[in-house]
Amino acid sequence: MAAPDQVTDPVGSRLLRRLRDSGPLSRAELASGLEVPRARLLSELDSLLAAGLVQEAGPAESRGGRRSTLVELNRDLRFAAVDLGARSIDVEITDGRLEPIAVHSEPADIRSGPKVILHRVSEILAKFKVDGAYDRLQAIGIGIPGPVSFRDGVPVSPPIMPGWDRFPVREVLGREHGCPVVVDNDVNIMAIGERYGGVARMTDNLLFVKIGTGIGCGIYVGGQVYRGTDGCAGDIGHIQVEDDGPVCSCGNIGCLEAYFGGGALGRDALAAARSGQSPALAERLSNSGALTAADVAAGAAEGDATCVQLIRDGGRRVGTVLAGLVSFINPSMIVIGGGLAGLGHLLLAEIRSVVYRRSLPLATGNLPIVMSELGARAGVVGAAVLASDLAYGQPS
Amino acid sequence: MAAPDQVTDPVGSRLLRRLRDSGPLSRAELASGLEVPRARLLSELDSLLAAGLVQEAGPAESRGGRRSTLVELNRDLRFAAVDLGARSIDVEITDGRLEPIAVHSEPADIRSGPKVILHRVSEILAKFKVDGAYDRLQAIGIGIPGPVSFRDGVPVSPPIMPGWDRFPVREVLGREHGCPVVVDNDVNIMAIGERYGGVARMTDNLLFVKIGTGIGCGIYVGGQVYRGTDGCAGDIGHIQVEDDGPVCSCGNIGCLEAYFGGGALGRDALAAARSGQSPALAERLSNSGALTAADVAAGAAEGDATCVQLIRDGGRRVGTVLAGLVSFINPSMIVIGGGLAGLGHLLLAEIRSVVYRRSLPLATGNLPIVMSELGARAGVVGAAVLASDLAYGQPS
């Protein structure tokens, strides 16, 4: 197969992405809507066939007359999608249409540093290869939990990733695996995944709000991912929601993240359990020795008043920040994802209530605020989209 | 001259905009950097000459060898730029390079409704024509103080403009003056003006913050004006800054605009004058019978503590909102404009202080926060840019 970074022809790039998104097509179907002269299209298709990126896929279903032949992406194309979290590594190997071939998840501490973590990523990929999941990768997409210089493929001053600042992630993985690599922020890859294969398909102006250990936002404007001047757009966890209040990990006070998100919720749940304020949390703490957002969700489902209030308070503060952002950016959709999306309808209802009450009516008249469809898979799906865009010649 | 909406060729459009931005050029200078085959360029230039949009401008300065001939925009090209404020009409007639030929400003109440206001605009334009400022307009650009459907050329639910909702501004002015018209929000045209001819030249990701009677924000992302899904992006005056506080004109409480902006500042200045808290304001009130932001600025310059505090409080609240937006959108520059920019360095210093302290360090490391260079002219300059983009074939 050709090295995927050789696909620089815009027609070839569009053909590959069309086959990725639609599956096997006849030449006539492939041509429709592309507005490219048929001879040009057929010649480009021949190049892709010769390069081994595309293959014949047998005859189309007969509609009378001569049967046409379908073409499809070479079934041996493979991408690697990696989602590094603060405490996890998720990896998928996908085919050229981004369908998963092999999946692996394991706990890991991002603070172990880039050498340890990327070495482990490479071990996981090598194991997949030995097991036959791939022969050769076309490209790797990887998301990391901090700001990224998308152009340079390096983390930039990531607050929770000691040792990673400007570490050459793209270069190291590319050299190790002999293929192009694309590096992005973990929230951006979730937004990209959700817009490609989830609830936000074709949405032009999207806010994807990740509520996990921390809180961040992926942004689409005009159908394009927006990463900001320094690659740190969407850092909404440190927007101030109260003039005073708990000190945040960033050193400021009153940040959204100091009130809500996995870290803050765990802290508040522990306090409510220990003070006896929440019988449900106290029982769970004595059973398991620790408390997470899932315990708060379970407590709320059982009707524990403190758990319900913790979720409502968090939703109200997220809603207050989002209400301001809706007035500012006038999006067409907001998607809530990340680990704490598991808090469910109670969280969503509170967020909606504040945004719909506080933002300009014109901006909320047709504004859906919905839960992520892809859930925990959003990140790897987005990483695979980025990898395939790179290989198929479409800058993301 | 050809109807300007006939310029649909992308090469012709680029030639016209280059001549607008650079002035007279030789054919060689015009060709450089355009990456268009020379024959194609010359043929397109001939079309523009034949259509009367471009003219010969005499010989270039000799550099030895054969003298080349300069071309320039036809000196008779004219645009009308209109900036409607809540209480004012500003109009400029410009030449093809957007240099002002004639200027007019007058007070007007936008609440008089579209028929009265647009009739007055037409009268002003007609007077210019009689006076010889133009023979024929190529296009009109107009900004209005409310949300606009840029595609439809109509205001959409503008809160301070009774009677204007979906009034066909573009159609009415176009029919009256026989030329294409482009309608945009007043803050957007200021941002466009400042980026074209002011302090924000070539800035990719820009926030232009207008602090006038109300407060709004023009947004550039990736070098393009961003207007939002419903045309109401940038409505930051109604972002909540306090949980309680004065009731805003929008019906919510604690909005930025309920605390600061010309309306709120006038209210607070009057209270400080009447209560005797501010001797400087009391004296000005007894002299003139009314108080505006200019009185507060003058009082602050004289060292009146209340005036200084009013400006500081306002700057702090604007800064708090901007700090959140900087974390969210990671802009490359913030420009402060509008009537209250006259409050000067005291306002700017307070805004800077809060933003630099409250936003992510990565986002503020290279972030200039500066005053508008164009001042009161920003709006008409932007309206002229929009009109010329329309006539020269570049969608804005």
Side-chain angles (χ1 to χ4, degrees):
Chain A
M1 281 180 271
D5 44 348
Q6 292 174 354
V7 181
T8 53
D9 178 275
V11 174
S13 169
R14 287 163 73 193
L15 291 178
L16 290 170
R17 281 180 285 122
R18 189 146 194 181
L19 291 170
R20 172 188 72 187
D21 303 342
S22 305
L25 293 173
S26 70
R27 284 171 169 77
E29 288 167 333
L30 203 46
S32 77
L34 274 190
E35 292 178 4
V36 172
R38 188 169 167 83
R40 169 100 168 74
L41 181 130
L42 293 178
S43 132
E44 190 54 38
L45 193 57
D46 284 342
S47 303
L48 297 176
L49 283 158
L53 289 164
V54 168
Q55 64 184 34
E56 304 276 354
E61 279 191 38
S62 175
R63 292 182 296 188
R66 195 165 67 86
R67 283 199 178 185
S68 62
T69 310
L70 296 176
V71 290
E72 65 181 353
L73 290 172
N74 186 317
R75 287 182 199 156
D76 295 330
L77 293 181
R78 292 292 179 272
F79 297 110
V82 183
D83 183 3
L84 298 184
R87 298 171 192 173
S88 59
I89 300 175
D90 290 283
V91 184
E92 280 192 16
I93 303 295
T94 78
D95 66 13
R97 295 195 56 206
L98 312 190
E99 295 296 329
I101 300 290
V103 175
H104 177 90
S105 295
E106 66 180 44
D109 188 341
I110 197 80
R111 293 171 300 180
S112 312
K115 284 184 186 162
V116 171
I117 295 289
L118 295 182
H119 180 69
R120 184 59 197 139
V121 167
S122 287
E123 281 182 345
I124 295 167
L125 293 178
K127 177 77 165 50
F128 279 140
K129 187 168 189 181
V130 170
D131 292 351
Y134 72 90
D135 175 43
R136 173 164 133 50
L137 292 175
Q138 298 295 303
I140 299 173
I142 179 169
I144 64 172
V148 167
S149 166
F150 188 72
R151 196 195 55 192
D152 300 338
V154 301
V156 182
S157 309
I160 64 164
M161 301 172 69
W164 286 80
D165 189 24
R166 300 208 73 85
F167 187 86
V169 174
R170 182 171 67 199
E171 192 190 323
V172 165
L173 283 180
R175 205 167 45 214
E176 177 83 17
H177 300 279
C179 67
V181 177
V182 55
V183 187
D184 204 348
N185 170 268
D186 63 338
V187 188
N188 287 345
I189 62 170
M190 293 176 79
I192 293 166
E194 198 70 36
R195 186 170 181 274
Y196 182 84
V199 68
R201 279 186 201 87
M202 311 301 291
T203 301
D204 269 353
N205 305 316
L206 170 69
L207 300 189
F208 180 96
V209 182
K210 177 194 174 185
I211 313 180
T213 305
I215 300 180
C217 183
I219 307 167
Y220 268 88
V221 292
Q224 301 288 320
V225 184
Y226 174 78
R227 297 181 173 90
T229 304
D230 305 287
C232 61
D235 182 41
I236 67 172
H238 300 286
I239 292 182
Q240 189 172 24
V241 290
E242 305 275 353
D243 278 343
D244 44 23
V247 175
C248 182
S249 60
C250 74
N252 270 314
I253 53 169
C255 296
L256 176 60
E257 227 173 82
Y259 281 102
F260 196 55
L265 193 59
R267 176 200 66 204
D268 292 349
L270 206 59
R274 287 185 175 151
S275 71
Q277 196 190 345
S278 163
L281 290 174
E283 190 188 332
R284 286 173 171 271
L285 180 62
S286 76
N287 289 346
S288 68
L291 289 174
T292 68
D295 295 301
V296 180
E302 292 163 13
D304 180 88
T306 301
C307 291
V308 169
Q309 196 57 44
L310 284 175
I311 296 172
R312 282 213 174 124
D313 286 348
R316 179 170 46 79
R317 292 197 169 100
V318 172
T320 301
V321 167
L322 290 182
L325 299 181
V326 166
S327 293
F328 174 66
I329 208 79
N330 183 202
S332 22
M333 181 183 283
I334 296 178
V335 179
I336 310 291
L340 266 62
L343 296 176
H345 188 72
L346 195 55
L347 176 68
L348 190 62
E350 194 68 28
I351 292 174
R352 282 177 173 159
S353 154
V354 178
V355 172
Y356 291 147
R357 189 175 70 240
R358 279 290 335 178
S359 308
L360 189 72
L362 182 56
T364 55
N366 299 301
L367 177 67
I369 304 177
V370 296
M371 286 295 184
S372 160
E373 256 181 34
L374 297 182
R377 273 197 73 228
V380 286
V381 171
V385 172
L386 279 178
S388 67
D389 278 349
L390 181 65
Y392 296 157
Q394 162 82 345
S396 292
Chain B
M1 281 182 274
D5 44 347
Q6 290 174 356
V7 181
T8 52
D9 178 272
V11 175
S13 169
R14 287 163 74 193
L15 291 177
L16 290 169
R17 281 179 287 124
R18 191 149 192 179
L19 291 170
R20 172 188 72 186
D21 302 341
S22 306
L25 292 173
S26 70
R27 285 172 167 77
E29 288 166 333
L30 203 46
S32 78
L34 273 191
E35 293 177 2
V36 173
R38 188 169 167 82
R40 169 99 168 74
L41 180 130
L42 293 178
S43 131
E44 190 55 38
L45 193 57
D46 283 344
S47 303
L48 297 175
L49 283 158
L53 290 165
V54 168
Q55 64 184 33
E56 306 276 352
E61 279 190 39
S62 174
R63 292 181 296 186
R66 196 166 66 86
R67 284 198 176 185
S68 62
T69 310
L70 297 175
V71 291
E72 64 180 356
L73 290 172
N74 187 318
R75 288 182 198 156
D76 295 331
L77 293 181
R78 292 293 180 271
F79 298 110
V82 183
D83 182 4
L84 298 183
R87 298 170 192 175
S88 59
I89 300 176
D90 290 283
V91 183
E92 281 192 16
I93 303 295
T94 79
D95 66 12
R97 296 195 55 206
L98 312 190
E99 294 296 327
I101 300 290
V103 175
H104 177 91
S105 294
E106 66 180 44
D109 188 341
I110 197 78
R111 292 170 300 180
S112 311
K115 285 185 185 160
V116 171
I117 296 288
L118 294 181
H119 180 68
R120 184 59 196 139
V121 167
S122 289
E123 280 180 343
I124 296 167
L125 293 178
K127 176 77 164 52
F128 278 140
K129 187 169 190 182
V130 169
D131 292 350
Y134 72 90
D135 175 45
R136 169 163 137 51
L137 292 174
Q138 298 294 305
I140 298 172
I142 180 168
I144 64 172
V148 168
S149 166
F150 188 72
R151 196 194 55 191
D152 299 338
V154 301
V156 183
S157 309
I160 63 163
M161 300 172 68
W164 286 80
D165 189 24
R166 301 208 73 87
F167 187 87
V169 174
R170 183 171 66 198
E171 191 189 324
V172 166
L173 282 181
R175 204 167 44 215
E176 177 83 16
H177 300 279
C179 68
V181 177
V182 54
V183 186
D184 204 348
N185 171 268
D186 62 338
V187 188
N188 287 345
I189 63 170
M190 294 176 80
I192 293 165
E194 198 70 37
R195 186 170 181 275
Y196 182 84
V199 69
R201 279 185 199 87
M202 310 301 291
T203 301
D204 269 353
N205 305 316
L206 170 70
L207 301 187
F208 180 96
V209 182
K210 178 194 175 185
I211 313 179
T213 305
I215 299 179
C217 184
I219 306 167
Y220 268 89
V221 292
Q224 302 287 322
V225 184
Y226 174 77
R227 298 181 172 90
T229 304
D230 306 286
C232 62
D235 182 42
I236 66 172
H238 300 286
I239 292 181
Q240 190 173 24
V241 290
E242 305 275 354
D243 278 342
D244 43 24
V247 175
C248 183
S249 60
C250 74
N252 270 314
I253 52 168
C255 295
L256 176 60
E257 229 175 79
Y259 282 102
F260 196 54
L265 193 60
R267 176 200 65 204
D268 292 347
L270 205 59
R274 287 185 175 151
S275 70
Q277 196 190 345
S278 164
L281 291 173
E283 191 188 332
R284 287 173 171 272
L285 179 61
S286 75
N287 289 345
S288 69
L291 290 174
T292 68
D295 295 300
V296 180
E302 293 164 12
D304 180 89
T306 301
C307 291
V308 170
Q309 197 57 46
L310 284 174
I311 297 173
R312 282 216 173 119
D313 287 348
R316 180 170 47 77
R317 292 198 170 99
V318 172
T320 301
V321 167
L322 290 182
L325 299 181
V326 166
S327 293
F328 174 67
I329 208 80
N330 183 202
S332 24
M333 182 184 280
I334 296 179
V335 178
I336 310 291
L340 265 61
L343 297 176
H345 188 71
L346 195 57
L347 176 67
L348 190 61
E350 195 68 28
I351 292 174
R352 283 177 173 158
S353 155
V354 178
V355 172
Y356 291 147
R357 191 175 69 241
R358 278 292 335 180
S359 308
L360 188 72
L362 181 57
T364 54
N366 300 301
L367 177 68
I369 304 177
V370 296
M371 285 295 184
S372 161
E373 257 181 32
L374 297 181
R377 274 196 73 227
V380 285
V381 172
V385 172
L386 279 178
S388 66
D389 278 350
L390 180 64
Y392 296 157
Q394 162 82 344
S396 293

